[in-house]
Amino acid sequence: MSTKPVTPTPAMREPTNFNTRRMKLDQFRRATMNNLITGLAILSTVVVITPLLLILGYLIYKGASSLNFAFFTQIPKPVGEDGGGMANSIVGSGVILSLASLMGIPVGIAAGVYLAEFGRGKVLADAVRFTADVLNGVPSIVMGISIYSLIVMQQKHFSAFAGGVALAIMMVPTITRTTEEMLMTVPHAIREAALGLGVPKWRTAISVSLRTASPGIITGCMLAFARVAGETAPLLFTAFGNQFWSLSLTQPIAALPLQIYIYATGPYDEWHRLAWAGSLVLIMLIMVSVTLVRIFANRGVLKGGS
Amino acid sequence: MSPTQMTTNSESNPSEPRSTVRALEVPLPSAPAAGEPPTPVLTPSIIRQFLSSRGSGKFADQAFAGLMLTCALSIFAIVIFIASILVLRSKLSLHAFGFKFFTSQAWDPVSGDFGALPFIYGTLATSFLALLMAVPLALGVAVFLTELCPKMLRAPISFLTELLAAIPSVVYGLWAVFVLVPMMRDSLGPFLVKTLGWTGFFEGANFGVGMLTASIILAIMILPIISSLTRDIMLAVPNSQREAVLALGATRWEMIRVGVLRNSRIGIVGAVMLGLGRALGETMAVTMVIGNHAEINKSLFAPGYTLASVIANEFSEATGDVYLSALIEIGLALFLVTIVVNTIARLLVWAVTRGAPARVA
């Protein structure tokens, strides 16, 4: 029965015709879907880039027209008077950020050295790494109220020192993770060569591993610095802000992001003008450091990625 | 000690006048000159010096390792310290309101009655809306960057999206106050009322500030985190997998769907949750545009309040211990929620990108 040849009939040919048609339809559908998704992906990239360019463009437009010499040399004028600048905020930001870097960078780098040089494969190191990642996601305002409760409530007054501590705590996890990553990219053979010559382990870690990875570690520190430079929330309850000159670590101190917040939410046009100028200065500071970092990275000084 | 040596000593300092008194003084500080040993024929080599110093390095090694360990442990200490100080300071409110704190809508500093429900609602609603807007866009960007983008454009576009992450929150707030809010009030808001007004989400007075404006600015802010993480996760998918799917005759989209997205979906969920964690805790930009009014309203035009923004606004003027304690309890809640969200997210992302270099988002 099965060997008997079947003579093709039009009725039997019909389905094959139908199938090719369906296949063509299917192919058309798949091709359309492909193009549609490609288009959507391109569109979403454009949609993401547009607000960035809009924000930057508007910021430069508004900021540049409000920037003047007084901005960098004068302290804020009383409400109602025109003019004045944010010199005290710029200096205050500098004080707080130096304080934060002084405390945060050594601790962050040391923790990174532990993870990469001493803790490899240990459960404790995994736990530290994980905690650092989680700590990185803790909202900055929570840091603010913790430091407020610890330092400001004890001392009974806001201070530049408290602001520095809050920002330092925020810098530590970022620096730890980048330091570790950068140290991981240092080839083992280099360490072994040093150890083989009888160099003590601590000396190897400092003069060989850290030194080889230093461009990357500096990058990490600058990124952490750029990140906390714009933080406002933790400073609200620690540094508090100040309308006058202050360099004392035990007194409330002005900071650029804080002042921008106060001016932006205030009702006066003169304040808004200063807020735009302050934002431009702040963003320039951050962009320049981040861009420098990227250029370094592209030159191949940094091999492990961003 | 020879007279010739004396003269060379004083000659080395030409500013001093040479005199007999000077020559007499020379023997007094003569220790280095006198103690100079006859130069040995063989000095111990640098390598030998290193080797002989090894014994004393033992202690230094341990001290160094201990110091590094202490710094690493300080990260634990920070987390434990934050948690304990928040619990300690919110004790008053924890005792006074108990669990009712999270279900009560009251927020009355005058009579001392506090409940966090409006803030919880505001935080969840704005974060959810922000994710709704940001996730499809971020996925689109990640797909574009990993699969479609010409090599030449790849670096500049990733750079631009990451610039978004570098703009401080307060600057986003400033931009939103002066550009987004008027846009919302004059063009986007009326348009939404006309097209989607029937859903009931776009009702009432539209001041420009409100839940929707806050969600939009949040979406812009969490986009770079989600897209850069998703991109890394997609890059971790081996190329052979893409080639295999393409070899079966798949179109590019089918390759992305079957070969890439299906393999990285766990990691993508993790990336989205990291974005969620960021959105939950975002403070300044939201505070500046959400309207800061403690109420629950179905309309997205209505002003709202989030956990983070109520702390930012009221903390420094909180009078009374219970008021302060209630605000710290809100901080505690925010801390715990973000810890949980971040922990889950990190675990998911780790499960996918293990082996590939991790990045700091």
Side-chain angles (χ1 to χ4, degrees):
Chain A
M1 285 189 284
S2 56
T3 51
K4 190 180 171 188
V6 182
T7 45
T9 61
M12 286 180 76
R13 226 176 285 127
E14 187 61 24
T16 31
N17 278 344
F18 178 67
N19 273 344
T20 43
R21 230 178 43 227
R22 243 184 67 173
M23 271 170 71
K24 268 190 184 144
L25 204 74
D26 194 50
Q27 238 162 33
F28 175 72
R29 189 184 57 79
R30 288 169 59 199
T32 318
M33 192 66 185
N34 186 36
N35 294 337
L36 185 75
I37 296 291
T38 309
L40 280 179
I42 295 171
L43 184 74
S44 55
T45 309
V46 172
V47 168
V48 170
I49 302 288
T50 315
L52 172 77
L53 297 180
L54 276 179
I55 292 175
L56 282 182
Y58 198 74
L59 192 72
I60 291 169
Y61 163 68
K62 288 291 260 189
S65 60
S66 317
L67 262 186
N68 52 30
F69 186 65
F71 179 85
F72 294 101
T73 52
Q74 293 184 6
I75 66 168
K77 288 253 172 80
V79 170
E81 269 181 58
D82 272 4
M86 294 169 90
N88 60 338
S89 308
I90 297 171
V91 173
S93 267
V95 169
I96 295 176
L97 286 171
S98 326
L99 208 61
S101 306
L102 226 59
M103 288 185 277
I105 290 178
V107 176
I109 290 182
V113 168
Y114 170 77
L115 290 183
E117 303 285 325
F118 297 98
R120 281 201 194 172
K122 285 186 192 162
V123 181
L124 179 68
D126 284 341
V128 170
R129 188 175 301 125
F130 193 80
T131 314
D133 277 346
V134 171
L135 186 64
N136 211 6
V138 169
S140 56
I141 193 151
V142 173
M143 302 287 185
I145 58 174
S146 313
I147 298 298
Y148 173 88
S149 306
L150 185 80
I151 299 177
V152 180
M153 267 184 167
Q154 302 297 323
Q155 294 187 328
K156 305 266 194 266
H157 59 80
F158 300 101
S159 66
F161 174 71
V165 173
L167 294 191
I169 289 181
M170 299 192 63
M171 287 177 91
V172 168
T174 322
I175 295 177
T176 300
R177 296 289 282 124
T178 26
T179 303
E180 188 207 353
E181 264 167 50
M182 293 305 142
L183 286 176
M184 295 292 238
T185 61
V186 176
H188 253 306
I190 297 182
R191 287 190 189 93
E192 278 158 15
L195 290 172
L197 286 174
V199 181
K201 211 175 170 192
W202 65 274
R203 204 62 217 264
T204 312
I206 292 177
S207 316
V208 179
S209 307
L210 270 179
R211 205 163 155 197
T212 314
S214 59
I217 293 170
I218 293 168
T219 307
C221 293
M222 281 175 85
L223 285 177
F225 182 86
R227 192 186 148 201
V228 298
E231 281 295 346
T232 318
L235 297 181
L236 277 175
F237 329 117
T238 50
F240 194 68
N242 192 337
Q243 294 293 318
F244 305 100
W245 276 111
S246 170
L247 287 173
S248 165
L249 293 185
T250 54
Q251 293 301 316
I253 197 168
L256 208 43
L258 266 180
Q259 205 64 21
I260 294 170
Y261 173 63
I262 294 166
Y263 282 165
T265 48
Y268 309 104
D269 277 346
E270 185 60 25
W271 280 18
H272 298 161
R273 200 182 63 77
L274 284 171
W276 284 112
S279 294
L280 184 65
V281 170
L282 183 61
I283 224 142
M284 283 298 175
L285 183 91
I286 291 169
M287 294 287 168
V288 166
S289 57
V290 172
T291 314
L292 280 181
V293 163
R294 298 286 151 172
I295 293 169
F296 262 124
N298 287 345
R299 289 264 170 84
V301 183
L302 237 177
K303 287 191 187 115
S306 69
Chain B
M1 182 66 24
S2 62
T4 47
Q5 233 176 348
M6 273 184 226
T7 45
T8 43
N9 269 356
S10 47
E11 259 169 8
S12 70
N13 203 345
S15 66
E16 301 246 6
R18 220 196 297 178
S19 68
T20 44
V21 184
R22 176 91 192 123
L24 281 174
E25 271 176 11
V26 170
L28 286 172
S30 65
E36 200 171 64
T39 42
V41 187
L42 268 171
T43 46
S45 74
I46 295 169
I47 294 174
R48 189 164 278 275
Q49 276 173 9
F50 262 132
L51 286 175
S52 59
S53 72
R54 246 183 102 189
S56 63
K58 197 85 184 164
F59 171 74
D61 265 358
Q62 280 171 356
F64 184 74
L67 186 67
M68 298 298 115
L69 180 63
T70 316
C71 288
L73 291 179
S74 72
I75 292 177
F76 285 134
I78 291 171
V79 173
I80 293 168
F81 140 75
I82 293 176
S84 53
I85 199 114
L86 289 178
V87 171
L88 204 72
R89 297 287 184 192
S90 60
K91 217 181 249 166
L92 214 56
S93 153
L94 283 169
H95 280 301
F97 305 112
F99 188 72
K100 210 181 97 246
F101 187 73
F102 298 107
T103 54
S104 158
Q105 280 199 47
W107 189 258
D108 190 355
V110 180
S111 65
D113 191 12
F114 298 100
L117 194 62
F119 313 115
I120 295 172
Y121 167 77
T123 305
L124 290 181
T126 48
S127 302
F128 176 73
L129 271 175
L131 283 184
L132 213 61
M133 287 182 264
V135 170
L137 287 176
L139 282 182
V141 173
V143 165
F144 179 75
L145 282 176
T146 52
E147 315 291 338
L148 306 167
C149 181
K151 265 219 170 78
M152 219 174 63
L153 282 177
R154 203 170 283 181
I157 291 180
S158 342
F159 176 64
L160 277 176
T161 49
E162 277 163 35
L163 269 192
L164 275 173
I167 297 178
S169 181
V170 68
V171 175
Y172 275 117
L174 182 71
W175 179 78
V177 166
F178 291 106
V179 181
L180 193 60
V181 167
M183 207 160 87
M184 214 42 224
R185 190 177 50 218
D186 302 332
S187 52
L188 201 57
F191 170 76
L192 284 172
V193 172
K194 211 161 64 185
T195 51
L196 291 167
W198 51 270
T199 52
F201 287 119
F202 305 99
E203 286 177 339
N206 172 17
F207 302 112
V209 294
M211 305 280 280
L212 189 60
T213 318
S215 309
I216 293 174
I217 203 74
L218 265 182
I220 297 178
M221 295 178 73
I222 62 173
L223 247 167
I225 298 149
I226 304 179
S227 71
S228 72
L229 264 164
T230 310
R231 186 195 58 198
D232 290 349
I233 289 157
M234 285 181 175
L235 284 176
V237 173
N239 254 340
S240 56
Q241 205 147 334
R242 294 188 176 84
E243 283 155 13
V245 182
L246 283 178
L248 289 174
T251 61
R252 185 137 57 172
W253 160 239
E254 285 161 343
M255 178 272 282
I256 294 168
R257 190 165 53 97
V258 178
V260 180
L261 289 180
R262 192 167 290 177
N263 284 295
S264 45
R265 58 176 187 266
I266 295 175
I268 292 173
V269 172
V272 170
M273 287 189 74
L274 274 183
L276 175 68
R278 202 46 71 86
L280 293 173
E282 200 54 67
T283 313
M284 297 327 292
V286 173
T287 310
M288 286 160 92
V289 296
I290 199 170
N292 298 327
H293 188 69
E295 64 171 21
I296 297 177
N297 203 319
K298 190 185 171 196
S299 171
L300 297 176
F301 287 154
Y305 226 152
T306 66
L307 293 171
S309 57
V310 71
I311 300 175
N313 260 334
E314 301 186 7
F315 197 80
S316 49
E317 51 208 44
T319 46
D321 292 341
V322 184
Y323 192 3
L324 199 63
S325 169
L327 284 170
I328 294 180
E329 189 177 349
I330 285 179
L332 178 67
L334 194 56
F335 176 71
L336 293 179
V337 168
T338 47
I339 286 275
V340 169
V341 169
N342 274 293
T343 305
I344 298 171
R346 284 290 169 191
L347 285 174
L348 292 178
V349 173
W350 270 22
V352 177
T353 53
R354 200 165 26 200
R359 289 166 45 89
V360 182

